[in-house]
């Protein structure tokens, strides 16, 4: 059964890029989720409802989904990530969009 | 007063709701590795590389201050965990930026800094490089310190304090971290645009 649009969770899609020598999908996922959990806490993560939608290890770009009202918190958490699998790294948010299609454009 | 013609944004003033204005120039006044200015430019920041274009004086005693200021570059930053040293540094015309290593609240220091047009550095590296309880403690101290800076009208500048390219952050991320430190969006933006611009003007 589908929800009417007004009741649906409003989401945002963050196009990000990991500046790092290399980062596979499991490594990127682990670093992102650990960073979010460390900064937002269990309660904050539950409210933000983040999910890694897509990740390309070749370009080190991916899309992270979260609730619309938690974008700033997610951006802060992601900005505080300093390593991926014990390698120095930086996560840049390139774009925030309301749809996956526009995020990847 | 600091930034005589530049109004500090009120906490309620909002510039949110659209893309960042790309005609605005963003600054990172403290990058401490070779090639930092080039890397920062790729992220849309005008950076100042230490020690190439600035001098950082680390002093725990007042007598160390004078020695550090000899042959200093135009942009002088004094960092200390001792507020007495910072008070003395704030009275020196040559010094433009101050960094309290422990971010201890000192109303006297904030008043002197506000009167003498000195800006406090808020290095994001301290947040980025720490984890767990330590990060929470740093965050808490920085928040209280910035709250007092706003109350006593002392200027503050958000910098990366990067030691390599991975320590740099894009302007939008710097603003987001400024918001995590209790600033409004407008105040955080001011701390990487107009405030550092005024410091550089003073340096020249």
């Amino acid at each position: 059964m589908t929800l009417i649009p007004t009741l649906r969770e409003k989401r945002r899609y963050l196009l990000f890029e990991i500046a790092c020598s290399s980062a596979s999908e499991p490594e990127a996922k682990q670093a992102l989720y650990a960073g979010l959990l460390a900064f937002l806490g269990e309660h904050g993560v539950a409210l933000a409802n983040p999910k890694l939608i897509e990740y390309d290890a070749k370009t080190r770009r991916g899309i992270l989904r979260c609730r619309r009202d938690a974008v700033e918190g997610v951006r802060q958490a992601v900005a505080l990530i300093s390593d991926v699998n014990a390698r120095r790294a930086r996560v840049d948010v390139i774009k925030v969009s309301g749809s996956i299609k526009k995020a990847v454009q | 007063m600091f930034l005589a013609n530049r109004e500090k944004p009120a906490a309620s003033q909002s510039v949110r709701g659209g893309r960042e204005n790309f005609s605005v120039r963003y600054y990172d006044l403290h990058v401490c590795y070779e090639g930092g200015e080039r890397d920062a430019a790729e992220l849309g920041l005008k950076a100042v590389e230490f020690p190439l274009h600035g001098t950082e004086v680390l002093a725990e005693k007042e007598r160390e201050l004078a020695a550090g200021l000899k042959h200093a570059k135009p942009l002088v930053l004094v960092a200390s965990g001792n507020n007495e040293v910072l008070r003395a540094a704030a009275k020196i015309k040559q010094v433009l930026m101050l960094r309290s290593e422990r971010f201890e609240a000192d109303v006297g220091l904030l008043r002197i800094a506000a009167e003498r047009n000195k800006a406090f550095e808020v290095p994001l590296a301290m947040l980025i490089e720490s984890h767990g309880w330590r990060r929470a403690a740093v965050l808490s101290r920085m928040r209280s310190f910035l709250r007092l800076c706003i109350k006593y009208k002392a200027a503050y500048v958000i910098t990366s304090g990067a030691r390599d390219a991975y320590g740099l952050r894009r302007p939008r991320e710097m603003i987001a971290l400024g918001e995590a430190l209790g600033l409004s969006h407008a105040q955080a933006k001011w701390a990487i645009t107009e405030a550092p611009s005024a410091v550089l003007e003073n340096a020249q």
Side-chain angles (χ1 to χ4, degrees):
Chain A
M1 192 165 155
T2 55
L3 280 172
I4 58 172
T6 52
L7 295 180
R8 218 169 41 219
E9 186 185 78
K10 305 296 185 292
R11 292 163 173 169
R12 284 292 176 266
Y13 298 88
L14 283 78
L15 176 68
F16 68 86
E17 184 177 333
I18 301 180
C20 179
S21 52
S22 68
S24 65
E25 186 172 345
E27 286 171 346
K29 195 172 184 177
Q30 157 67 19
L32 285 167
Y33 286 2
L36 286 162
L37 195 61
F39 187 68
L40 300 176
E42 291 173 358
H43 183 240
V45 169
L47 295 178
N49 195 15
K51 189 183 180 192
L52 183 65
I53 300 287
E54 207 179 309
Y55 180 74
D56 180 12
K58 209 170 169 184
T59 57
R60 297 191 299 280
R61 282 192 174 201
I63 296 171
L64 185 69
R65 187 187 77 193
C66 71
R67 276 177 66 109
R68 184 177 66 182
D69 47 13
V71 171
E72 280 308 298
V74 170
R75 198 192 271 272
Q76 289 159 5
V78 158
L80 288 172
I81 294 172
S82 58
D83 52 76
V84 173
N85 200 21
R87 286 190 299 273
R88 289 282 286 158
R90 179 184 77 225
V91 183
D92 294 328
V93 175
I94 295 162
K95 198 175 184 181
V96 180
S97 172
S99 69
I100 298 176
K101 190 178 169 185
K102 276 198 277 180
V104 292
Q105 265 174 6
Chain B
M1 293 293 289
F2 193 76
L3 318 173
N5 301 321
R6 294 157 203 264
E7 272 187 31
K8 278 191 196 177
S12 57
Q13 189 183 337
S14 174
V15 289
R16 198 195 293 262
R19 288 169 187 222
E20 293 298 323
N21 184 356
F22 289 104
S23 63
V24 176
R25 191 158 219 187
Y26 297 100
Y27 295 88
D28 183 350
L29 290 193
H30 192 184
V31 175
C32 29
Y33 72 96
E34 211 180 313
E37 288 180 348
R38 192 191 57 239
D39 291 343
E42 282 174 20
L43 299 179
L45 289 155
K46 180 175 164 47
V48 175
E49 200 176 303
F50 280 69
L52 190 64
H53 296 125
T55 302
E56 184 178 10
V57 181
L58 301 164
E60 284 307 311
K61 289 172 187 164
E62 283 187 39
R63 65 168 182 268
E64 293 169 9
L65 211 55
L69 291 174
K70 276 181 194 166
H71 315 295
K73 302 272 167 42
L75 183 61
V76 179
L77 161 70
V78 173
S80 178
N82 183 349
N83 281 348
E84 290 301 317
V85 174
L86 291 175
R87 280 187 197 207
K91 290 173 186 166
I92 301 169
K93 197 179 173 188
Q94 200 182 356
V95 177
L96 296 178
M97 287 207 296
L98 304 167
R99 186 175 74 233
S100 174
E101 297 285 15
R102 287 197 289 259
F103 288 94
E104 272 175 345
D106 182 341
V107 174
L109 170 63
L110 289 167
R111 283 202 172 123
I112 294 169
E115 277 169 19
R116 311 247 175 170
N117 303 344
K118 310 297 177 194
F120 284 99
E121 187 200 6
V122 181
L124 295 178
M126 280 176 83
L127 276 181
I128 294 166
E129 305 299 334
S130 57
H131 296 278
W133 273 105
R134 193 172 151 72
R135 180 184 283 172
V138 172
L139 198 60
S140 171
R141 285 202 306 268
M142 281 183 173
R143 281 179 79 102
S144 322
F145 188 82
L146 282 172
R147 193 167 51 84
L148 287 171
C149 281
I150 292 162
K151 183 177 166 76
Y152 290 99
K153 297 184 171 55
Y156 46 89
V157 173
I158 298 177
T159 68
S160 68
R163 298 191 187 283
D164 57 22
Y166 303 118
L168 294 169
R169 290 294 178 271
R170 282 171 187 260
R172 192 60 188 79
E173 268 70 62
M174 290 174 87
I175 292 172
L177 290 174
E179 287 180 86
L181 293 169
L183 301 175
S184 69
H185 186 87
Q187 287 167 339
K189 191 174 176 182
W190 179 85
I192 61 164
T193 53
E194 291 179 43
S197 162
V199 170
L200 286 182
E201 271 176 33
N202 285 352
Q204 283 158 10

